[in-house]
Coordinates of all heavy atoms in Angstrom, one line a residue:
M988 N 100.9 84.9 101.8 CA 99.7 85.7 101.6 C 100.1 86.7 100.5 O 99.3 86.9 99.5 CB 99.3 86.5 102.8 CG 98.1 87.5 102.4 SD 97.5 88.4 103.9 CE 98.9 89.2 104.5
L989 N 101.3 87.4 100.6 CA 101.7 88.4 99.6 C 101.8 87.8 98.2 O 101.4 88.3 97.2 CB 102.9 89.1 100.0 CG 103.4 90.3 99.1 CD1 102.2 91.4 98.9 CD2 104.5 90.9 99.6
R990 N 102.3 86.6 98.1 CA 102.6 85.9 96.9 C 101.2 85.6 96.3 O 101.1 85.8 95.0 CB 103.4 84.5 97.2 CG 103.6 83.8 95.8 CD 104.5 82.7 96.1 NE 105.9 83.2 96.5 CZ 106.7 82.8 97.5 NH1 106.2 81.7 98.1 NH2 107.7 83.2 97.7
D991 N 100.2 85.1 97.0 CA 99.0 84.9 96.6 C 98.3 86.2 95.9 O 97.5 86.2 94.8 CB 97.9 84.4 97.5 CG 98.3 83.1 98.0 OD1 99.0 82.3 97.3 OD2 98.0 82.6 99.2
I992 N 98.4 87.3 96.6 CA 97.8 88.6 96.2 C 98.6 88.9 94.9 O 98.0 89.5 93.9 CB 98.1 89.7 97.2 CG1 97.2 89.5 98.4 CG2 97.7 91.1 96.7 CD1 97.6 90.4 99.6
L993 N 99.9 88.8 94.7 CA 100.7 89.3 93.5 C 100.3 88.5 92.3 O 100.7 88.8 91.2 CB 102.1 89.3 93.7 CG 102.5 90.3 94.8 CD1 104.2 90.2 95.1 CD2 102.0 91.6 94.6
H994 N 99.5 87.2 92.4 CA 99.1 86.5 91.2 C 97.6 86.5 91.3 O 97.0 85.4 91.0 CB 99.7 85.1 91.4 CG 101.3 85.1 91.3 ND1 101.9 85.4 90.1 CD2 102.2 85.1 92.2 CE1 103.1 85.3 90.3 NE2 103.3 85.2 91.6
G995 N 97.0 87.6 91.4 CA 95.5 87.8 91.4 C 95.2 88.7 92.7 O 95.7 88.4 93.7
G996 N 94.4 89.6 92.4 CA 94.0 90.6 93.5 C 94.8 91.8 93.6 O 94.8 92.6 94.6
V997 N 95.4 92.2 92.4 CA 96.0 93.5 92.3 C 95.4 94.3 91.2 O 95.1 93.8 90.1 CB 97.5 93.3 91.9 CG1 98.2 94.5 91.7 CG2 98.4 92.4 92.9
Y998 N 95.0 95.4 91.6 CA 94.2 96.3 90.7 C 94.9 97.7 90.6 O 95.3 98.2 91.6 CB 92.7 96.5 91.3 CG 92.1 95.2 91.5 CD1 92.1 94.5 92.7 CD2 91.5 94.5 90.4 CE1 91.6 93.3 92.8 CE2 90.8 93.3 90.5 CZ 91.0 92.6 91.7 OH 90.5 91.4 92.0
V999 N 94.8 98.4 89.4 CA 95.5 99.5 89.1 C 94.4 100.6 88.7 O 93.9 100.3 87.6 CB 96.7 99.5 88.2 CG1 97.3 100.9 88.0 CG2 97.8 98.5 88.6
V1000 N 94.1 101.6 89.4 CA 93.2 102.6 89.1 C 93.9 103.5 88.0 O 95.0 103.9 88.1 CB 92.8 103.6 90.2 CG1 91.9 104.7 89.8 CG2 92.0 102.6 91.2
H1001 N 93.2 103.6 86.8 CA 93.7 104.2 85.6 C 92.6 104.9 84.8 O 91.6 104.4 84.6 CB 94.4 103.1 84.9 CG 95.0 103.5 83.4 ND1 96.0 104.3 83.4 CD2 94.5 103.1 82.2 CE1 96.3 104.5 82.1 NE2 95.3 103.7 81.4
A1002 N 93.1 106.1 84.4 CA 92.2 106.9 83.3 C 92.5 106.4 82.0 O 93.7 106.4 81.6 CB 92.4 108.3 83.5
K1003 N 91.4 106.1 81.3 CA 91.7 105.6 79.9 C 92.3 106.4 79.0 O 93.1 106.2 78.1 CB 90.3 105.1 79.3 CG 89.8 103.8 80.0 CD 88.6 103.4 79.2 CE 88.0 102.1 79.8 NZ 86.9 101.7 79.1
H1004 N 91.9 107.8 79.0 CA 92.3 108.8 78.0 C 93.2 109.8 78.6 O 93.1 110.4 79.6 CB 91.0 109.4 77.4 CG 90.1 108.5 76.8 ND1 90.4 107.7 75.8 CD2 88.9 108.1 77.4 CE1 89.3 106.8 75.5 NE2 88.4 107.1 76.5
G1005 N 94.3 110.1 77.8 CA 95.3 111.0 78.2 C 96.4 110.7 79.2 O 97.3 111.4 79.5
Y1006 N 96.4 109.4 79.6 CA 97.3 108.8 80.5 C 98.0 107.7 79.8 O 98.4 106.7 80.7 CB 96.8 108.5 81.8 CG 96.4 109.9 82.6 CD1 95.0 110.3 82.3 CD2 97.1 110.6 83.3 CE1 94.5 111.4 82.8 CE2 96.6 111.8 83.8 CZ 95.3 112.2 83.5 OH 94.8 113.3 84.2
E1007 N 98.3 107.5 78.6 CA 98.7 106.4 78.0 C 100.2 106.1 78.5 O 100.7 104.9 78.6 CB 98.9 106.5 76.5 CG 97.4 106.4 75.8 CD 96.7 107.7 75.9 OE1 97.3 108.8 76.4 OE2 95.5 107.8 75.7
F1008 N 101.0 107.1 78.7 CA 102.3 106.9 79.4 C 102.3 106.1 80.7 O 103.1 105.3 80.9 CB 103.0 108.3 79.6 CG 104.4 108.1 80.4 CD1 105.5 107.7 79.8 CD2 104.3 108.4 81.7 CE1 106.6 107.4 80.5 CE2 105.6 108.3 82.4 CZ 106.7 107.8 81.9
H1009 N 101.3 106.5 81.6 CA 101.2 105.8 82.8 C 100.8 104.3 82.6 O 101.4 103.5 83.3 CB 100.0 106.4 83.6 CG 100.4 107.9 84.2 ND1 100.4 108.2 85.4 CD2 100.8 109.0 83.5 CE1 100.6 109.5 85.5 NE2 100.9 109.9 84.4
E1010 N 99.9 104.1 81.7 CA 99.6 102.7 81.4 C 100.9 101.9 80.9 O 101.1 100.9 81.4 CB 98.4 102.7 80.1 CG 98.0 101.3 79.9 CD 97.0 101.3 78.8 OE1 96.6 102.4 78.4 OE2 96.7 100.3 78.3
Q1011 N 101.5 102.4 80.0 CA 102.7 101.7 79.5 C 103.8 101.4 80.7 O 104.3 100.4 80.8 CB 103.5 102.6 78.4 CG 102.7 102.6 77.2 CD 103.2 103.6 76.2 OE1 104.2 104.4 76.4 NE2 102.4 103.8 75.0
H1012 N 103.9 102.5 81.6 CA 104.9 102.4 82.6 C 104.4 101.4 83.6 O 105.2 100.6 84.0 CB 104.9 103.7 83.4 CG 106.0 103.7 84.4 ND1 107.3 103.6 84.2 CD2 105.8 103.7 85.8 CE1 108.0 103.6 85.5 NE2 107.0 103.8 86.4
I1013 N 103.2 101.3 83.9 CA 102.7 100.2 84.8 C 102.7 98.9 84.3 O 103.3 97.9 84.9 CB 101.2 100.5 85.2 CG1 101.0 101.8 86.1 CG2 100.6 99.3 85.9 CD1 101.7 101.7 87.5
V1014 N 102.5 98.7 83.1 CA 102.6 97.4 82.3 C 104.0 97.0 82.5 O 104.3 95.8 82.8 CB 102.0 97.4 81.0 CG1 102.4 96.2 80.2 CG2 100.6 97.7 80.8
S1015 N 104.9 97.7 82.1 CA 106.4 97.5 82.1 C 106.9 97.1 83.6 O 107.5 96.1 83.8 CB 107.2 98.5 81.5 OG 108.6 98.3 81.6
L1016 N 106.6 98.1 84.4 CA 106.9 97.9 85.8 C 106.5 96.6 86.5 O 107.2 95.8 87.1 CB 106.5 99.0 86.8 CG 107.0 99.2 88.1 CD1 108.4 99.3 88.2 CD2 106.2 100.3 88.8
F1017 N 105.2 96.3 86.3 CA 104.5 95.1 86.9 C 105.1 93.8 86.2 O 105.2 92.8 86.9 CB 103.1 95.3 86.9 CG 102.4 96.1 88.1 CD1 103.0 97.3 88.3 CD2 101.5 95.7 88.8 CE1 102.5 98.1 89.3 CE2 100.9 96.4 89.7 CZ 101.5 97.7 89.9
K1018 N 105.3 94.0 84.9 CA 105.8 92.7 84.1 C 107.3 92.4 84.7 O 107.7 91.2 84.9 CB 106.0 93.1 82.7 CG 106.4 91.9 81.9 CD 106.3 92.2 80.4 CE 106.7 91.0 79.6 NZ 106.6 91.3 78.1
Q1019 N 108.1 93.4 85.0 CA 109.5 93.2 85.5 C 109.3 92.5 86.8 O 110.3 91.7 87.2 CB 110.1 94.5 85.6 CG 110.5 95.3 84.4 CD 111.2 96.6 84.7 OE1 111.3 97.1 85.6 NE2 111.4 97.4 83.5
Q1020 N 108.5 92.8 87.6 CA 108.2 92.2 88.9 C 107.3 90.9 89.0 O 107.1 90.5 90.0 CB 107.6 93.3 89.9 CG 108.5 94.4 90.0 CD 109.9 94.2 90.5 OE1 110.1 93.4 91.4 NE2 110.9 94.9 89.9
N1021 N 107.0 90.5 87.8 CA 106.1 89.3 87.6 C 104.9 89.4 88.5 O 104.4 88.5 89.2 CB 106.9 88.1 88.0 CG 106.2 86.8 87.4 OD1 105.5 86.9 86.5 ND2 106.3 85.7 88.2
I1022 N 104.1 90.5 88.5 CA 103.0 90.9 89.2 C 101.8 90.9 88.2 O 101.8 91.7 87.3 CB 103.0 92.2 90.0 CG1 104.2 92.2 91.0 CG2 101.7 92.5 90.6 CD1 104.5 93.4 91.6
E1023 N 100.8 90.0 88.4 CA 99.6 90.0 87.6 C 98.8 91.1 88.2 O 98.5 91.2 89.3 CB 99.0 88.6 87.8 CG 99.8 87.5 87.1 CD 99.2 86.1 87.4 OE1 97.9 86.1 87.6 OE2 99.9 85.1 87.2
F1024 N 98.0 91.8 87.3 CA 97.2 92.9 87.7 C 96.0 93.2 86.7 O 96.1 92.6 85.6 CB 97.8 94.2 87.9 CG 98.3 94.8 86.7 CD1 97.7 95.9 86.1 CD2 99.5 94.4 86.1 CE1 98.1 96.4 84.9 CE2 99.9 94.9 84.9 CZ 99.3 96.0 84.3
E1025 N 95.0 93.9 87.1 CA 94.0 94.3 86.2 C 93.8 95.8 86.4 O 94.0 96.4 87.5 CB 92.6 93.7 86.7 CG 92.6 92.3 86.6 CD 91.3 91.8 87.0 OE1 90.2 92.4 86.8 OE2 91.2 90.7 87.6
F1026 N 93.6 96.6 85.2 CA 93.4 98.0 85.3 C 91.8 98.0 85.7 O 91.1 97.4 85.3 CB 93.5 98.7 83.9 CG 95.0 98.9 83.7 CD1 95.6 98.4 82.6 CD2 95.7 99.9 84.4 CE1 96.9 98.7 82.3 CE2 97.0 100.2 84.0 CZ 97.7 99.5 83.1
A1027 N 91.5 99.1 86.7 CA 90.3 99.5 87.0 C 90.1 100.9 86.3 O 90.6 101.9 86.7 CB 90.1 99.6 88.5
S1028 N 89.3 100.9 85.2 CA 89.4 102.1 84.3 C 87.9 102.2 83.8 O 87.8 103.0 82.8 CB 90.3 102.1 83.3 OG 90.3 101.0 82.6
E1029 N 87.0 101.6 84.4 CA 85.6 101.7 83.9 C 84.9 103.0 84.0 O 84.0 103.4 83.2 CB 84.6 100.7 84.6 CG 85.1 99.2 84.4 CD 85.9 98.8 85.5 OE1 86.7 99.6 86.1 OE2 86.0 97.5 85.7
A1030 N 85.4 103.9 84.9 CA 84.7 105.2 85.3 C 85.2 106.3 84.3 O 85.8 107.1 84.8 CB 84.9 105.5 86.6
D1031 N 85.0 106.2 83.0 CA 85.4 107.0 82.0 C 84.5 108.4 82.1 O 83.3 108.2 82.0 CB 85.3 106.4 80.6 CG 86.0 107.3 79.5 OD1 86.1 108.5 79.8 OD2 86.3 106.7 78.5
T1032 N 85.1 109.4 82.2 CA 84.3 110.7 82.3 C 83.5 111.0 81.1 O 82.4 111.6 81.1 CB 85.2 112.0 82.6 OG1 86.2 112.1 81.5 CG2 85.9 111.9 83.9
A1033 N 83.8 110.4 80.0 CA 82.9 110.5 78.9 C 81.6 110.0 78.9 O 80.6 110.3 78.3 CB 83.6 109.9 77.7
L1034 N 81.5 108.9 79.9 CA 80.3 108.3 80.2 C 79.3 108.9 81.2 O 78.3 108.5 81.5 CB 80.5 106.8 80.5 CG 81.4 106.0 79.6 CD1 81.6 104.6 80.3 CD2 80.6 105.8 78.3
F1035 N 79.9 110.0 81.9 CA 79.2 110.6 82.9 C 78.0 111.3 82.5 O 78.1 112.3 81.8 CB 80.2 111.6 83.7 CG 81.1 110.9 84.6 CD1 81.4 109.6 84.7 CD2 81.8 111.7 85.4 CE1 82.2 108.9 85.7 CE2 82.7 111.0 86.4 CZ 82.9 109.7 86.5
T1036 N 76.9 111.0 83.0 CA 75.6 111.8 83.0 C 75.3 112.1 84.4 O 75.8 111.5 85.4 CB 74.5 110.9 82.3 OG1 74.2 109.8 83.3 CG2 74.9 110.4 80.9
Q1037 N 74.4 113.0 84.5 CA 74.0 113.5 85.9 C 73.5 112.3 86.7 O 73.8 112.1 87.7 CB 73.1 114.6 85.7 CG 72.9 115.2 87.1 CD 74.0 116.1 87.7 OE1 74.9 116.3 87.0 NE2 74.0 116.2 89.1
E1038 N 72.7 111.6 86.0 CA 72.0 110.4 86.5 C 73.0 109.4 87.0 O 72.9 108.9 88.1 CB 71.0 109.8 85.5 CG 70.3 108.5 86.1 CD 69.2 108.0 85.0 OE1 68.4 108.8 84.7 OE2 69.4 106.9 84.7
Y1039 N 74.0 109.2 86.1 CA 75.1 108.2 86.5 C 75.8 108.6 87.8 O 76.0 107.8 88.7 CB 76.0 108.0 85.3 CG 77.1 107.1 85.3 CD1 76.9 105.7 85.4 CD2 78.4 107.5 85.8 CE1 78.0 104.8 85.5 CE2 79.5 106.6 86.0 CZ 79.2 105.3 85.8 OH 80.3 104.4 86.1
K1040 N 76.1 109.9 87.8 CA 76.9 110.3 88.9 C 76.1 110.3 90.3 O 76.7 110.1 91.3 CB 77.5 111.9 88.7 CG 78.5 111.9 87.6 CD 79.3 113.2 87.5 CE 78.3 114.2 87.0 NZ 79.1 115.6 86.8
E1041 N 74.8 110.6 90.2 CA 74.0 110.7 91.3 C 73.8 109.2 91.9 O 73.4 109.1 93.1 CB 72.6 111.2 90.9 CG 72.7 112.8 90.6 CD 71.4 113.4 90.3 OE1 70.4 112.7 90.0 OE2 71.5 114.6 90.2
Q1042 N 74.2 108.2 91.1 CA 74.0 106.8 91.7 C 75.1 106.6 92.8 O 75.0 105.7 93.7 CB 74.2 105.8 90.6 CG 73.1 105.6 89.6 CD 73.5 104.6 88.6 OE1 74.3 103.7 88.7 NE2 73.0 104.9 87.3
F1043 N 76.1 107.3 92.7 CA 77.3 107.1 93.5 C 77.7 108.2 94.5 O 78.3 108.0 95.5 CB 78.5 106.8 92.7 CG 78.4 105.5 91.8 CD1 78.0 105.7 90.5 CD2 78.6 104.3 92.2 CE1 78.0 104.5 89.7 CE2 78.4 103.2 91.5 CZ 78.1 103.2 90.2
F1044 N 77.2 109.5 94.1 CA 77.7 110.6 94.9 C 76.5 111.4 95.5 O 75.6 111.7 94.8 CB 78.5 111.4 94.1 CG 79.9 110.7 93.4 CD1 79.9 110.4 92.1 CD2 80.9 110.4 94.3 CE1 81.0 109.6 91.6 CE2 81.9 109.6 93.8 CZ 82.0 109.3 92.5
T1045 N 76.9 112.1 96.6 CA 75.9 113.1 97.1 C 76.0 114.4 96.5 O 77.0 114.6 95.8 CB 76.4 113.3 98.7 OG1 77.7 114.0 98.8 CG2 76.5 112.0 99.6
S1046 N 75.2 115.3 96.8 CA 75.1 116.5 95.9 C 76.4 117.4 96.3 O 77.0 118.0 95.4 CB 73.9 117.4 96.4 OG 73.8 117.6 97.8
E1047 N 77.0 117.3 97.5 CA 78.1 118.0 97.8 C 79.3 117.4 97.0 O 80.2 118.2 96.5 CB 78.4 117.9 99.3 CG 77.6 118.7 100.1 CD 76.5 117.8 101.0 OE1 76.9 116.6 101.0 OE2 75.5 118.3 101.3
M1048 N 79.4 116.2 96.9 CA 80.4 115.4 96.2 C 80.4 115.8 94.6 O 81.5 115.8 94.1 CB 80.4 114.0 96.4 CG 80.7 113.6 97.8 SD 80.4 111.8 98.1 CE 81.9 111.1 97.4
L1049 N 79.2 116.1 94.2 CA 79.0 116.3 92.7 C 79.6 117.7 92.3 O 79.9 118.0 91.1 CB 77.6 116.2 92.3 CG 76.9 114.9 92.4 CD1 75.4 114.9 92.0 CD2 77.6 114.0 91.3
R1050 N 80.1 118.6 93.3 CA 80.8 119.7 93.0 C 82.2 119.5 92.6 O 82.8 120.4 92.1 CB 80.7 120.7 94.2 CG 79.2 121.1 94.5 CD 79.2 122.0 95.7 NE 77.9 122.0 96.2 CZ 77.5 122.3 97.5 NH1 78.4 122.4 98.4 NH2 76.3 122.3 97.8
L1051 N 82.6 118.3 92.9 CA 84.1 118.0 92.7 C 84.3 118.0 91.1 O 83.4 117.6 90.5 CB 84.4 116.8 93.3 CG 84.5 116.9 94.9 CD1 84.6 115.5 95.6 CD2 85.4 117.8 95.4
P1052 N 85.5 118.0 90.7 CA 85.9 117.9 89.2 C 85.5 116.3 88.9 O 85.7 115.5 89.6 CB 87.4 118.2 89.1 CG 87.8 118.8 90.3 CD 86.7 118.4 91.4
N1053 N 85.1 116.2 87.7 CA 84.8 114.8 87.1 C 86.0 114.0 87.1 O 85.9 112.8 87.4 CB 84.4 115.0 85.6 CG 82.9 115.2 85.5 OD1 82.1 115.2 86.4 ND2 82.5 115.5 84.3
S1054 N 87.3 114.6 87.1 CA 88.4 113.6 87.1 C 88.6 113.0 88.4 O 88.9 111.9 88.6 CB 89.6 114.5 86.8 OG 89.7 115.6 87.6
L1055 N 88.2 113.7 89.6 CA 88.4 113.1 90.8 C 87.3 112.3 91.1 O 87.4 111.2 91.7 CB 88.1 114.4 91.9 CG 88.4 114.0 93.4 CD1 89.7 113.3 93.6 CD2 88.3 115.3 94.2
L1056 N 85.9 112.6 90.5 CA 84.9 111.6 90.6 C 85.3 110.2 89.9 O 85.0 109.2 90.4 CB 83.6 112.1 90.1 CG 83.0 113.4 90.9 CD1 81.8 113.9 90.1 CD2 82.8 113.1 92.3
S1057 N 85.9 110.4 88.8 CA 86.3 109.2 88.1 C 87.3 108.4 88.8 O 87.1 107.1 88.8 CB 86.9 109.5 86.7 OG 87.3 108.5 86.0
C1058 N 88.1 109.0 89.3 CA 89.3 108.2 90.1 C 88.6 107.6 91.4 O 88.9 106.4 91.7 CB 90.2 109.2 90.6 SG 91.6 108.4 91.6
T1059 N 87.7 108.1 92.0 CA 86.9 107.6 93.1 C 86.1 106.4 92.8 O 86.2 105.4 93.3 CB 86.0 108.7 93.9 OG1 86.8 109.8 94.2 CG2 85.2 108.1 95.0
L1060 N 85.4 106.6 91.6 CA 84.6 105.4 91.0 C 85.4 104.3 90.7 O 85.1 103.1 90.9 CB 83.8 106.1 89.8 CG 82.4 106.5 90.2 CD1 81.7 106.9 88.8 CD2 81.5 105.5 91.0
N1061 N 86.6 104.5 90.1 CA 87.5 103.5 89.8 C 88.0 102.7 90.9 O 88.2 101.4 91.0 CB 88.6 103.9 88.9 CG 88.3 104.1 87.5 OD1 87.4 103.4 86.9 ND2 88.8 105.1 86.8
H1062 N 88.2 103.3 92.1 CA 88.5 102.7 93.3 C 87.3 101.8 93.8 O 87.5 100.7 94.2 CB 88.9 103.7 94.5 CG 90.2 104.2 94.4 ND1 91.3 103.6 95.0 CD2 90.7 105.3 93.8 CE1 92.4 104.2 94.8 NE2 92.2 105.2 94.2
I1063 N 86.1 102.4 93.6 CA 84.9 101.6 94.0 C 84.8 100.4 93.2 O 84.5 99.3 93.6 CB 83.6 102.5 93.9 CG1 83.7 103.5 95.0 CG2 82.4 101.7 94.0 CD1 82.7 104.6 94.8
F1064 N 85.0 100.5 91.8 CA 84.9 99.4 90.9 C 86.1 98.4 91.2 O 85.7 97.1 91.0 CB 84.9 99.9 89.5 CG 83.7 100.6 89.0 CD1 83.9 101.7 88.2 CD2 82.5 100.4 89.7 CE1 82.7 102.4 87.8 CE2 81.4 101.2 89.3 CZ 81.5 102.1 88.3
A1065 N 87.2 98.9 91.6 CA 88.2 97.8 91.8 C 87.7 97.0 93.1 O 88.0 95.8 93.1 CB 89.5 98.6 92.3
C1066 N 87.2 97.7 94.1 CA 86.7 96.9 95.2 C 85.6 95.9 94.9 O 85.6 94.9 95.4 CB 86.1 97.9 96.4 SG 87.5 98.8 97.1
K1067 N 84.7 96.3 94.0 CA 83.6 95.4 93.5 C 84.3 94.3 92.7 O 83.7 93.1 92.9 CB 82.7 96.2 92.6 CG 81.8 97.1 93.3 CD 80.7 97.8 92.4 CE 79.7 98.5 93.2 NZ 78.5 98.8 92.3
R1068 N 85.3 94.5 92.0 CA 86.0 93.4 91.3 C 86.5 92.5 92.3 O 86.5 91.1 92.1 CB 87.0 93.9 90.3 CG 86.5 94.0 88.9 CD 87.7 94.0 88.0 NE 87.6 95.3 87.3 CZ 88.5 95.8 86.5 NH1 89.8 95.2 86.5 NH2 88.3 96.8 85.7
M1069 N 87.2 92.9 93.4 CA 87.8 92.2 94.4 C 86.8 91.2 95.0 O 87.0 90.1 95.1 CB 88.4 93.1 95.5 CG 88.9 92.4 96.7 SD 89.2 93.5 98.0 CE 89.6 92.3 99.3
L1070 N 85.6 91.7 95.2 CA 84.4 90.9 95.8 C 84.0 89.9 94.7 O 83.8 88.7 95.0 CB 83.4 91.8 96.2 CG 83.7 92.7 97.5 CD1 82.5 93.7 97.7 CD2 83.9 91.9 98.7
A1071 N 83.9 90.3 93.5 CA 83.3 89.4 92.4 C 84.4 88.3 92.2 O 84.0 87.1 92.0 CB 83.2 90.2 91.2
N1072 N 85.7 88.6 92.3 CA 86.7 87.6 92.2 C 86.9 86.7 93.4 O 88.0 85.8 93.5 CB 88.0 88.2 91.7 CG 87.9 88.7 90.2 OD1 86.9 88.4 89.5 ND2 88.7 89.8 90.0
S1073 N 86.2 87.0 94.5 CA 86.4 86.4 95.8 C 87.8 86.5 96.4 O 88.4 85.6 96.9 CB 86.0 84.9 95.6 OG 84.7 84.8 95.4
D1074 N 88.4 87.6 96.1 CA 89.9 87.8 96.7 C 89.8 88.1 98.0 O 89.1 88.9 98.5 CB 90.5 89.1 95.9 CG 90.7 88.9 94.4 OD1 91.0 87.9 94.0 OD2 90.6 89.9 93.8
E1075 N 90.5 87.3 98.8 CA 90.4 87.5 100.2 C 91.2 88.8 100.6 O 90.8 89.5 101.5 CB 91.2 86.4 100.9 CG 91.0 86.4 102.5 CD 91.6 85.1 103.1 OE1 91.9 84.1 102.4 OE2 91.6 85.1 104.4
Y1076 N 92.2 89.1 99.8 CA 93.0 90.4 100.0 C 93.2 91.0 98.6 O 93.3 90.3 97.7 CB 94.4 90.1 100.7 CG 94.3 89.4 102.1 CD1 94.5 88.0 102.2 CD2 94.1 90.1 103.2 CE1 94.4 87.4 103.4 CE2 93.9 89.5 104.4 CZ 94.1 88.1 104.5 OH 94.0 87.5 105.8
A1077 N 93.6 92.2 98.6 CA 93.8 92.8 97.3 C 94.7 94.0 97.6 O 94.8 94.7 98.7 CB 92.7 93.3 96.6
L1078 N 95.5 94.4 96.6 CA 96.2 95.7 96.6 C 95.7 96.6 95.5 O 95.4 96.1 94.4 CB 97.7 95.4 96.2 CG 98.6 94.7 97.2 CD1 100.0 94.4 96.7 CD2 98.6 95.4 98.5
I1079 N 95.2 97.8 95.8 CA 94.9 98.7 94.8 C 95.8 99.9 94.7 O 96.2 100.5 95.6 CB 93.4 99.3 95.2 CG1 92.4 98.1 95.3 CG2 92.9 100.2 94.3 CD1 91.1 98.4 95.8
F1080 N 96.4 100.0 93.4 CA 97.3 101.0 93.2 C 96.7 102.1 92.3 O 95.6 101.8 91.7 CB 98.4 100.5 92.4 CG 99.4 99.6 93.2 CD1 99.2 98.2 93.1 CD2 100.4 100.0 94.0 CE1 99.8 97.2 93.8 CE2 101.1 99.1 94.6 CZ 100.9 97.7 94.6
E1081 N 97.2 103.3 92.2 CA 96.9 104.3 91.2 C 98.1 104.4 90.2 O 99.1 104.0 90.6 CB 96.8 105.7 91.8 CG 95.3 105.7 92.8 CD 95.0 107.0 93.1 OE1 95.6 108.1 92.5 OE2 94.1 107.3 93.9
D1082 N 97.8 104.6 89.0 CA 98.8 104.7 88.0 C 99.8 105.6 88.0 O 100.8 105.6 87.2 CB 98.2 104.5 86.6 CG 97.4 105.8 86.2 OD1 97.5 106.8 86.9 OD2 96.9 105.9 85.0
D1083 N 99.8 106.6 88.8 CA 100.8 107.6 89.0 C 101.5 107.3 90.3 O 102.4 108.3 90.7 CB 100.0 109.0 88.9 CG 99.1 109.3 89.9 OD1 98.8 108.3 90.6 OD2 98.5 110.4 89.8

């Protein structure tokens, strides 16, 4: 089972901007271990509008910093990808 996950079904939550070091480190680390993965980084805070955020979060949650909302959304998007790819199991990492 773990072997199957490591060759599909591995997702890394990653912020697109300002964390290039993390991206390079993850690429290197996973390559050394021969682990196939995808970055989940669609929730870029630059794309956040009030309407966009309200699709996913309650009014109480909207008080949180955009960086935290972005991370949360990237976890949601990783789960959506898992379902879209029909992964029976998945591992979701954060880049830090």
Side-chain angles (χ1 to χ4, degrees):
M988 175 177 65
L989 184 58
R990 183 170 294 138
D991 294 335
I992 293 171
L993 298 180
H994 294 287
V997 178
Y998 305 92
V999 179
V1000 170
H1001 172 65
K1003 284 185 180 183
H1004 306 289
Y1006 296 90
E1007 291 79 9
F1008 170 78
H1009 291 236
E1010 180 179 356
Q1011 293 168 359
H1012 182 70
I1013 290 294
V1014 169
S1015 174
L1016 183 66
F1017 281 47
K1018 184 177 181 178
Q1019 288 173 6
Q1020 299 302 318
N1021 196 31
I1022 299 172
E1023 297 174 19
F1024 72 96
E1025 297 177 36
F1026 281 115
S1028 57
E1029 297 91 334
D1031 189 344
T1032 57
L1034 303 175
F1035 281 9
T1036 62
Q1037 191 64 22
E1038 181 179 302
Y1039 181 79
K1040 292 191 293 188
E1041 288 173 356
Q1042 290 178 30
F1043 298 97
F1044 301 110
T1045 65
S1046 57
E1047 289 104 21
M1048 295 171 81
L1049 291 174
R1050 295 183 196 141
L1051 298 170
N1053 278 347
S1054 58
L1055 186 55
L1056 297 178
S1057 174
C1058 182
T1059 302
L1060 273 179
N1061 281 329
H1062 277 274
I1063 291 168
F1064 293 149
C1066 290
K1067 284 184 172 194
R1068 265 201 234 163
M1069 176 191 165
L1070 294 172
N1072 292 337
S1073 299
D1074 296 328
E1075 188 173 353
Y1076 301 97
L1078 295 173
I1079 299 175
F1080 294 93
E1081 291 192 10
D1082 65 1
D1083 56 357

